[in-house]
């Protein structure tokens, strides 16, 4: 077992043998995969990892040497963090920094707690909105709330992606930059 001190917090992206992104693991776990020849390093991070016998660059992206079949979770859990991440930590109404979660159609009036009815919101907009709908206030949502989809979401969830992973994940949304 190599004595590897974690140097970066972002972890390492694991690709299947087919280069399909699978998951994010700790840098230590990725290093063990590489040292045990279960994976090869595709992109280095910053710095070196040292064990008793080895020194290797911090892995940022590793690819498994053997294909693994993985059943995918298709639903992204509706958590506070996940909602903030989807909305880029910005208020759905004024685009200011988000601090709260707003139910677009108020819960008090039967609005559902579902991806399509929640947005990140700043405290001021949330307070002003109260139990009214955006239409009643003449407000417009920056974008229609939707269930997050795509490879990046499946792999990252609410994690902040390392820019080095962009080649393998579909990170074209401007929100992912705001999340960094
Ligand atoms: Zn706002």
């Amino acid at each position: 077992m190599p004595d590897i001190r974690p140097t970066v917090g972002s972890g390492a992206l694991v690709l299947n043998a087919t280069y399909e992104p699978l998951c994010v693991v700790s840098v230590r776990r990725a290093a063990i995969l590489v040292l045990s020849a279960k994976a090869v390093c595709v992109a280095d991070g910053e710095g070196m990892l040292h064990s008793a016998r080895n020194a290797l660059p911090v892995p940022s992206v590793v690819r498994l040497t053997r294909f693994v079949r993985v059943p995918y979770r298709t639903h992204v859990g509706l958590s506070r963090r996940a909602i903030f991440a989807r909305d880029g930590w910005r208020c759905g109404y004024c685009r200011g920094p988000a601090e709260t979660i707003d139910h677009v159609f108020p819960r008090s009036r039967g609005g559902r707690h579902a991806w399509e009815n929640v947005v990140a919101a700043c405290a001021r907009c949330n307070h002003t909105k109260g139990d009214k709908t955006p239409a009643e206030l003449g407000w417009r949502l920056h974008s229609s709330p939707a269930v997050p989809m795509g490879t990046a979401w499946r792999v990252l969830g609410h994690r902040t992606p390392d820019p080095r992973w962009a080649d393998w994940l579909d990170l074209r949304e401007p929100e992912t930059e705001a999340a960094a």
Side-chain angles (χ1 to χ4, degrees):
M1 188 68 64
D3 168 32
I4 293 164
R5 277 152 289 154
T7 47
V8 281
S10 51
L13 177 67
V14 179
L15 307 175
N16 212 335
T18 53
Y19 287 90
E20 185 191 8
L22 287 180
C23 59
V24 176
V25 299
S26 69
V27 163
R28 185 174 183 278
R29 175 95 185 105
I32 290 166
L33 288 171
V34 171
L35 291 172
S36 59
K38 290 192 172 115
V40 289
C41 191
V42 179
D44 295 341
E46 269 168 54
M48 298 289 287
L49 294 172
H50 299 276
S51 70
R53 268 173 252 144
N54 300 287
L56 78 158
V58 168
S60 179
V61 182
V62 300
R63 184 171 68 90
L64 297 178
T65 46
R66 284 195 188 180
F67 177 76
V68 293
R69 198 169 289 280
V70 189
Y72 292 131
R73 210 163 39 97
T74 49
H75 293 282
V76 180
L78 182 59
S79 68
R80 239 179 115 78
R81 279 205 64 169
I83 296 163
F84 283 136
R86 181 198 64 181
D87 296 351
W89 279 269
R90 284 171 188 258
C91 175
Y93 303 104
C94 74
R95 307 303 287 152
E99 307 151 86
T100 63
I101 302 297
D102 177 61
H103 291 86
V104 179
F105 195 87
R107 292 207 87 178
S108 59
R109 293 163 62 179
R112 289 191 316 131
H113 185 64
W115 278 112
E116 297 85 347
N117 193 47
V118 291
V119 289
C122 71
R124 215 176 73 168
C125 287
N126 201 336
H127 183 76
T128 308
K129 187 167 166 288
D131 60 358
K132 298 185 195 71
T133 66
E136 285 165 357
L137 289 159
W139 288 7
R140 283 194 50 187
L141 273 166
H142 181 257
S143 58
S144 297
V147 181
M149 296 214 271
T151 306
W153 265 94
R154 177 169 54 70
V155 174
L156 296 173
H158 55 65
R159 259 189 215 87
T160 303
D162 186 313
R164 294 181 191 88
W165 305 346
D167 287 350
W168 289 276
L169 297 168
D170 192 13
L171 300 176
R172 62 206 158 4
E173 305 249 0
E175 273 78 8
T176 50
E177 282 203 310

